[in-house]
Amino acid sequence: MISDYIKTKFTAIVGAENVDVSPAGRLVYSYDATPNFQSMPDAVIAPRNTKEVSQIVNVCREEKIPIVPRGSGTNLAAGTVPSEGGIVLLFKHMNQILEIDEENLTVTVQPGVVTLNMINAVEKRGLFYPPDPSSMKISTIGGNINENSGGLRGLKYGVTRDYVMALEAVLPNGDIIRTGGKLAKDVAGYDLTRLLTGSEGTLAVITEATLKLIPMPETKQTMLALYQSMDAAAKSVSEIIAAKIIPATLEFLDRPTLKAVEDFAKIGLPTDVEAVLLIEQDGPAEIVARDMQKIADICTREQAVSVQIAATEAEALALTSARRAALSALARLKPTTILEDATVPRSEIANMVKAINEIAAKHNVTIATFGHAGDGNLHPTCPTDARDHDEMERVEAAFADIFAKAIELGGTITGEHGVGMMKAPYLEWKMGPEGIAIMKAIKQSFDPDNIMNPGKIFAKETRKRLVISQ
Amino acid sequence: MISDYIKTKFTAIVGAENVDVSPAGRLVYSYDATPNFQSMPDAVIAPRNTKEVSQIVNVCREEKIPIVPRGSGTNLAAGTVPSEGGIVLLFKHMNQILEIDEENLTVTVQPGVVTLNMINAVEKRGLFYPPDPSSMKISTIGGNINENSGGLRGLKYGVTRDYVMALEAVLPNGDIIRTGGKLAKDVAGYDLTRLLTGSEGTLAVITEATLKLIPMPETKQTMLALYQSMDAAAKSVSEIIAAKIIPATLEFLDRPTLKAVEDFAKIGLPTDVEAVLLIEQDGPAEIVARDMQKIADICTREQAVSVQIAATEAEALALTSARRAALSALARLKPTTILEDATVPRSEIANMVKAINEIAAKHNVTIATFGHAGDGNLHPTCPTDARDHDEMERVEAAFADIFAKAIELGGTITGEHGVGMMKAPYLEWKMGPEGIAIMKAIKQSFDPDNIMNPGKIFAKETRKRLVISQ
């Protein structure tokens, strides 16, 4: 709990109505979308502007109070759980789209803007913000930047990082800095913009961002290809890229995911195939038509049992909605859903999916897998029950094996979800002790008192790495 | 000078043939492409592999010897001048293309590979590496990464940073780290890949890089539009973007540049116009044709006195060669050429060019301007004579005014050349004391002994900023 003295300080900055120390108010922000992680904050504070953020940070530094910046809490790595107490910083007042600049193709926003609201606002002007995390209906841009969120369009268009041009941020010492600009080119010193992007709130509080926009693609088409073998689906992915076609999305669902989605959404998806590719291309109509035909030919040649291009926009929307519903659908199966995002080079997808299935069998757990086949970002998902401690231990062991295998195949422990608390014990597997050491040195240089989102990214202890049985 | 004792240590690592302490050998590496900066290194060392780099770094750390990693020394900000002595690290032995991975669309290289050689190698496979710094015929990939080089295709395709997927680097403590991977998505901790990219050799020695490739555009067309007013040319640029067209290149040359280029290259360019736009579009043939027609219509509507699409590839090549020859052409006019790269948001180009001309008149110096109109990255260039101290003072004052104006317009002191020694006194103008402080803290966290390319990015003293007369 914070003392009355400190509460008075916060109240003087943001007003009594923006400081919540009630048990109910704190409980709401004691967890995020990640199962099995919960910890109460001492206060929930909603600043109204950057100056107030700076003043709050100054109080927290003087009093050594942890600060957890939080958007909508949709992250899946326990990145916004106040594991060491302190204050949760909300951006409900800092939620304005400040400017859409059509001449420089930028949008400037406060961190609390909901991603989809911003996307809709720029699309009205014929402009396009490609990063589309599955949570975009409720996630905020501030959260997206802190997590460097990905999405379905990563293969062709990149991730949040590729669209952040400038930031305003409050450093742990209370300084307000501005990085970058409305500039495609800027090499004035270290790339603070991209260092802060994806830093999970551990280095600074982001208070404003200018994002790059591109012209809206003229048209889009959607295709579903069904396979009786994962290898054939993966081979199709490779052949599409080898044909020098980069689809806007290239998604994969395995049979268990497909069954869960169809049970949930009832849009007539087949449930008797081993793998499905959902493929979209966007761009000028004639090029989209040409690409889609080439892709259809490749899928057919690579033993797809069915290839179907959506005839109408409604049909296309149903297909992409099905993919976007995968997590919700799987979450209905059991009380607890553990969703991971081990990522491998595109060429290793078939090997990785095979390994995931073997690991699931070895540990006697159920794992359904879907994800972004085009960029190797897979989401092995385990429907389980947090109350079954024996099963939870096996689930954890299975995911440890999955991380190890991903790294062995040249991949990473997290493609788009972040490290947070959940994957901190595995970060050293990817980065080595030398990589961890330099990351910790950077953290120390920004935040010597460790007040910024402590307990995230860096683990007290690295998990012991076991050799996987091949 | 280094002692015999230390020379023996280096010789034991790389062999006597790879340690040069001769005056002639050192003289060659006492300067780079930047006028007016020179300083002798104590030794020139050419390691053969990453392990040797690590061993050299360990000796340098123990003995507090500065290390200057150097590619071909084409940088224009005195980024590779050994201003505090020490060793220059050459990569002539580490110059191999290690792999072109057509399935994952990556190329893995050692730092000493010449940029154009790599571009040619991947283009043979139908793949495309977009960053094209003007020095690419002799620059190395290691240099490009350290400087985060730009080029003519930045508007549509981004800069070097956007293509670096993974790095191997030796830290100042001798540790070898690997960042990233063949992964479109990777959020495992801080973005070390992009922090090292553009860090000008001040944080680590890059020893290997994996770069992203994209499919080669099917076709390209080139157009020249001539104007009797800069405002009309700038208006055309804005209107092209407003029409939701992003050209592959959108270059600008003013009348003095044009005259110098024509005198030099004699390809029949007009020299009686105020401004020229060189515009290229690439992609599928039908889309390129459509875009070029739209662009031509816009230029004509915006008072271009002539719009001409190159009829043949030879004609197109002549036009782009003319643009690429701008610096060489201007360099023939006077003994010394000072080339800058102040950068502004695209919407401010006309204002910036106007300001540059006013500043040149005010300080009684000649400044020709060309550059990347599409991304606001201008190259005001001053033909002068380093022996004329009075004129050099006026040149420096003029460029100080130009930097101040660029920042005032929302721009930066350097778009693609880097800070180096040359622009270090101005960095605080862009970043503020708070920004400099956090950059210095990052530097300190990597390199507490300040052995990595000391004297670059951070100035002993920030230049006093005078108010510009409007």
Side-chain angles (χ1 to χ4, degrees), chain A residues 25-37:
Chain A
R26 293 184 292 126
L27 185 66
V28 173
Y29 297 104
S30 65
Y31 56 89
D32 58 21
T34 321
N36 286 336
F37 290 87

Side-chain angles (χ1 to χ4, degrees), chain A residues 241-257:
Chain A
I241 305 296
K244 309 280 191 290
I245 302 170
I246 309 288
T249 58
L250 215 178
E251 297 288 308
F252 151 76
L253 291 82
D254 71 358
R255 185 203 283 254
T257 308

Side-chain angles (χ1 to χ4, degrees), chain B residues 75-291:
Chain B
N75 90 82
L76 294 162
T80 47
V81 172
S83 53
E84 305 188 13
I87 64 164
V88 167
L89 217 52
L90 295 186
F91 294 91
K92 61 182 182 183
H93 300 305
M94 296 174 70
N95 66 349
Q96 298 301 303
I97 297 174
L98 300 175
E99 182 198 41
I100 299 174
D101 180 340
E102 297 189 51
E103 209 165 352
N104 292 305
L105 301 189
T106 61
V107 57
T108 299
V109 293
Q110 293 184 309
V113 174
V114 170
T115 312
L116 189 61
N117 292 351
M118 187 199 76
I119 288 176
N120 288 337
V122 303
E123 289 192 356
K124 270 186 200 149
R125 313 276 188 101
L127 296 170
F128 186 41
Y129 176 75
D132 59 342
S134 294
S135 56
M136 65 184 177
K137 281 185 192 171
I138 42 172
S139 72
T140 66
I141 286 292
N144 293 171
I145 293 170
N146 274 305
E147 300 294 325
N148 186 15
S149 300
L152 274 62
R153 300 191 279 236
L155 166 64
K156 183 170 182 176
Y157 290 108
V159 294
T160 301
R161 177 189 63 220
D162 301 304
Y163 294 87
V164 184
M165 301 184 85
L167 292 173
E168 181 191 70
V170 177
L171 298 178
N173 65 3
D175 280 351
I176 300 167
I177 60 167
R178 296 193 79 96
T179 73
K182 291 178 178 174
L183 303 164
K185 293 175 175 170
D186 179 16
V187 290
Y190 301 141
D191 192 345
L192 298 177
T193 309
R194 278 152 203 94
L195 180 59
L196 294 182
T197 302
S199 66
E200 304 190 17
T202 65
L203 298 181
V205 182
I206 290 163
T207 51
E208 193 183 298
T210 297
L211 306 169
K212 173 182 164 174
L213 303 172
I214 58 177
M216 190 72 195
E218 293 165 30
T219 53
K220 186 165 76 172
Q221 278 195 21
T222 306
M223 174 195 298
L224 206 64
L226 314 181
Y227 294 86
Q228 282 304 359
S229 105
M230 180 60 215
D231 280 343
K235 187 83 194 302
S236 296
V237 171
S238 292
E239 290 299 314
I240 291 165
I241 304 296
K244 310 278 192 291
I245 301 170
I246 308 289
T249 59
L250 215 179
E251 298 287 308
F252 151 76
L253 292 82
D254 72 356
R255 185 203 283 255
T257 308
L258 207 55
K259 186 173 180 317
V261 168
E262 180 56 22
D263 286 351
F264 175 59
K266 299 196 172 52
I267 57 165
L269 291 171
T271 55
D272 58 348
V273 294
E274 282 305 308
V276 162
L277 293 181
L278 173 76
I279 305 167
E280 291 189 312
Q281 183 58 303
D282 60 12
E286 53 269 54
I287 305 307
V288 170
R290 190 185 71 177
D291 281 356

Side-chain angles (χ1 to χ4, degrees), chain A residues 252-469:
Chain A
F252 151 76
L253 291 82
D254 71 358
R255 185 203 283 254
T257 308
L258 206 55
K259 184 168 182 320
V261 169
E262 180 55 23
D263 286 350
F264 176 60
K266 299 199 171 45
I267 57 166
L269 290 172
T271 54
D272 58 348
V273 294
E274 282 305 308
V276 162
L277 292 182
L278 173 75
I279 306 168
E280 291 190 312
Q281 183 59 303
D282 60 12
E286 53 270 53
I287 305 308
V288 170
R290 191 186 71 179
D291 281 355
M292 289 305 266
Q293 190 53 54
K294 281 190 194 167
I295 293 170
D297 292 346
I298 289 168
C299 294
T300 304
R301 196 170 64 230
E302 296 302 332
Q303 315 300 329
V305 292
S306 155
V307 175
Q308 179 199 348
I309 298 177
T312 65
E313 210 165 310
E315 202 181 315
L317 196 64
L319 294 178
T320 50
S321 301
R323 160 60 188 88
R324 285 194 184 274
L327 174 57
S328 312
L330 288 166
R332 292 168 72 240
L333 303 183
K334 286 284 205 84
T336 307
T337 310
I338 313 278
L339 173 73
E340 270 306 337
D341 79 326
T343 300
V344 292
R346 185 190 307 121
S347 59
E348 300 291 351
I349 288 172
N351 289 333
M352 190 66 208
V353 172
K354 189 160 163 277
I356 289 170
N357 291 337
E358 286 167 4
I359 289 165
K362 174 184 154 194
H363 293 283
N364 189 26
V365 295
T366 301
I367 298 183
T369 300
F370 62 97
H372 317 295
D375 55 33
N377 181 202
L378 296 174
H379 292 310
T381 303
C382 181
T384 179
D385 186 341
R387 295 162 300 187
D388 181 341
H389 294 293
D390 173 62
E391 177 160 311
M392 286 307 290
E393 273 180 30
R394 284 182 283 119
V395 169
E396 203 182 328
F399 277 112
D401 280 1
I402 288 172
F403 296 145
K405 185 70 188 180
I407 292 168
E408 184 194 318
L409 294 174
T412 185
I413 58 167
T414 173
E416 57 181 9
H417 291 173
V419 177
M421 290 173 73
M422 190 171 174
K423 269 175 278 193
Y426 304 97
L427 183 61
E428 192 176 307
W429 296 11
K430 164 76 168 84
M431 293 307 305
E434 303 84 1
I436 295 281
I438 192 64
M439 285 186 185
K440 278 188 176 167
I442 294 168
K443 164 73 174 173
Q444 173 78 11
S445 71
F446 274 76
D447 183 20
D449 299 313
N450 195 27
I451 56 168
M452 286 303 306
N453 207 4
K456 312 308 173 338
I457 298 184
F458 305 108
K460 291 201 175 64
E461 216 171 327
T462 289
R463 201 167 190 284
K464 202 173 157 209
R465 186 166 174 176
L466 300 170
V467 177
I468 315 174
S469 56

Side-chain angles (χ1 to χ4, degrees), chain A residues 81-137:
Chain A
V81 172
S83 53
E84 306 189 13
I87 64 163
V88 167
L89 217 52
L90 295 187
F91 294 92
K92 62 182 181 182
H93 300 305
M94 296 173 71
N95 65 349
Q96 297 302 303
I97 297 175
L98 301 174
E99 183 198 41
I100 298 175
D101 180 340
E102 297 189 50
E103 209 163 353
N104 292 305
L105 301 189
T106 60
V107 56
T108 299
V109 293
Q110 291 185 309
V113 174
V114 170
T115 312
L116 189 61
N117 292 352
M118 188 200 75
I119 288 176
N120 288 338
V122 304
E123 291 193 356
K124 271 188 200 148
R125 312 277 189 99
L127 297 170
F128 186 41
Y129 177 75
D132 59 343
S134 293
S135 56
M136 65 185 178
K137 281 187 193 170

